[in-house]
Amino acid sequence: MNDTPEKDVLPSNLLAKDKRYCWHPMTQHKTEPDPPVIVRAVGASLYDENGNEILDMISSWWTCVHGHSNPQLNQALIDQAQNLEHVMFAGFTHPPAIKLAEKLAQALPGDLNRVFYSDNGSTANEIALKIAYQYWINQGQHQRTKFLAFEKAYHGETVGAMSVGKGCGFFDDFEDLMFEVDKVPYPYTWNDDKNIEEKERTALEHIEKTMKQHGNEIAALIVEPLMQGAGGLRFSRPEFMHAVTKMAHDYNLLVIYDEVAVGFGRTGRLFACEKIGITPDLICLSKGLTSGYLPMSVTVATDDVYDVFLNDDPDRAFLHSHSFTANPLACTVALKSLEMFEEHKILDKIAYIESCHQDFLSTLQTQFQIFMPRVMGSIMAFNIADEEGAYKNENGECLREYFFQNGLNIRPIGNAVYLMPPFCITKDQLDRAYQGIIDGLSLIHQAKQAA
Ligand SMILES: Cc1ncc(COP(=O)(O)O)c(C=O)c1O
């Protein structure tokens, strides 16, 4: 093999080829600026083909919790690739899947012990919805065909996930494809929110009314616990999440926690459900599961849910599969990633990041008018206007471009500016991001004054 790069793969040609052949997610190709060609990444830093550094302050869509190209994860992946890269998971099993399932069951609260593997956050939720739906069919309750979900919830891109995310603003063209979902109010909150108890009370009254009237037709409630992500980094209190989960259980509904975004330390605990102090019937995990290395997700069910699928009739099994279910490479990296949480005392690092975020927001509030400042674990957010706005927002877009030009991967959602860095971030890198935010806000402020 020739080690010299061929002419047509030299970096200068790559962007032209990207433009000719690639179709990027969430991208209007007619108007968006060219993306950088990232050729290397380490820790919190991405490097483009010209050697420019971009700090990945949102962990590449919230995935790489341990940062990029971690030596321990790299080694685990190499070792596993030399033994077993893949084997189908129906009719076969293998050590990485078994060890990871055991480790997850031990880490999760209650009897969340049955791990169903799939490929991404959307499929993890799709699977949870299907398990919940069939759970009732297996018990002869065919009328439980509806789901309950929160306003502005986002659960992914497959049709079932879109259905429970109806109204989040991304899927309006596809409404006719979706199944029936009852939407209930979501009382979101921020630092020093004086009205939160009142908002929660009103929401709980509404939710209880819906459960009283339609509980018998509902298969499950699906929740993004403690934070709605794509809906605008909207936080909720553990007290509310606890009350709504308990209420659903009292009305005999299953509860699905979509911890795709918040799982693996984001909120300050390994799982949000630990912070809430309650065990859902099903939990969905992805993103941080493999620390961004490989696409994998899990839907973990309680023993009680699993038992309803045990039957002499093969059709009562959960007849769902994906080609790459429980890929050994992904399972190995996920297992190592989980071990690293203990080995490197990652929760302590997250507590430190949280305190840095709080200090920064306190200072920022004295310099600029910002709205709904909020911090939870490694997540910091605030709004630049007293409204949420759509996913795309002129000021948000302008800031994103500014951050990007200044070596920061920070992508506001609507009016919400947020950071969700990898846990290996240094204080120096955090300070660079904080300064970038101050400079970006100054620019917007100056533009407003000039207008
Ligand atoms: C809460 C939540 N659920 C599900 C998903 C979908 O995950 P994926 O993009 O891996 O399909 C996301 C993605 O951002 C998410 O934030």
Side-chain angles (χ1 to χ4, degrees), residues 36 80 87 96 147 149 154 164 170 217 245-246 260-261 290 295 314 322 361 376 451:
Q80 183 57 40
V87 59
F147 288 90
Y154 174 84
V164 284
F170 299 116
E217 302 153 32
T245 306
K246 184 169 179 312
V260 167
T290 64
H322 295 285
L361 272 189
M376 193 186 337

Side-chain angles (χ1 to χ4, degrees), residues 184-223:
V184 290
Y186 177 79
Y188 60 102
T189 191
W190 49 88
N191 292 358
D192 302 321
D193 176 8
K194 304 277 181 298
N195 300 323
I196 185 58
E197 286 180 9
E198 180 57 31
K199 287 188 285 186
E200 287 177 354
R201 217 178 355 263
T202 312
L204 283 169
E205 276 168 21
H206 183 111
I207 295 166
E208 177 146 42
K209 207 166 145 201
T210 308
M211 287 183 185
K212 237 184 210 154
Q213 278 176 355
H214 303 293
N216 205 27
E217 302 153 32
I218 298 168
L221 164 73
I222 183 164
V223 179

Side-chain angles (χ1 to χ4, degrees), residues 62 120-123 125 154-157 224 229-230 258 260-261 286-287:
W62 322 341
N120 57 68
S122 308
T123 56
N125 286 327
Y154 174 84
H155 297 290
E157 304 285 343
E224 284 167 278
D258 171 359
V260 167
S286 187
K287 292 195 185 275

Side-chain angles (χ1 to χ4, degrees), residues 235-248:
F235 290 2
S236 56
R237 295 199 309 166
E239 294 90 325
F240 171 75
M241 280 293 142
H242 192 282
V244 81
T245 306
K246 184 169 179 312
M247 185 184 282

Side-chain angles (χ1 to χ4, degrees), residues 76 79-80 83-84 89 93-108 113 115 117 289 296 298 326-328 330-339 342:
D79 293 346
Q80 183 57 40
N83 282 317
L84 172 68
F89 205 56
T93 192
H94 54 78
I98 298 165
K99 287 184 198 165
L100 176 61
E102 182 188 33
K103 183 95 182 149
L104 283 169
Q106 286 166 351
L108 284 163
N113 290 327
V115 178
Y117 289 102
L289 175 64
M296 191 171 74
V298 291
N327 173 262
C331 289
T332 299
V333 174
L335 183 62
K336 178 50 75 185
S337 168
L338 254 180
E339 288 167 358
E342 293 157 22

Side-chain angles (χ1 to χ4, degrees), residues 56 96 105 163 165 172 186 245 288 291 340 355 364 388 423 431 436 438:
D56 192 355
S163 302
D172 296 351
Y186 177 79
T245 306
S291 191
M340 284 168 59
S355 71
L364 194 69
E388 291 166 66
F423 306 143
D431 286 341
I438 291 171

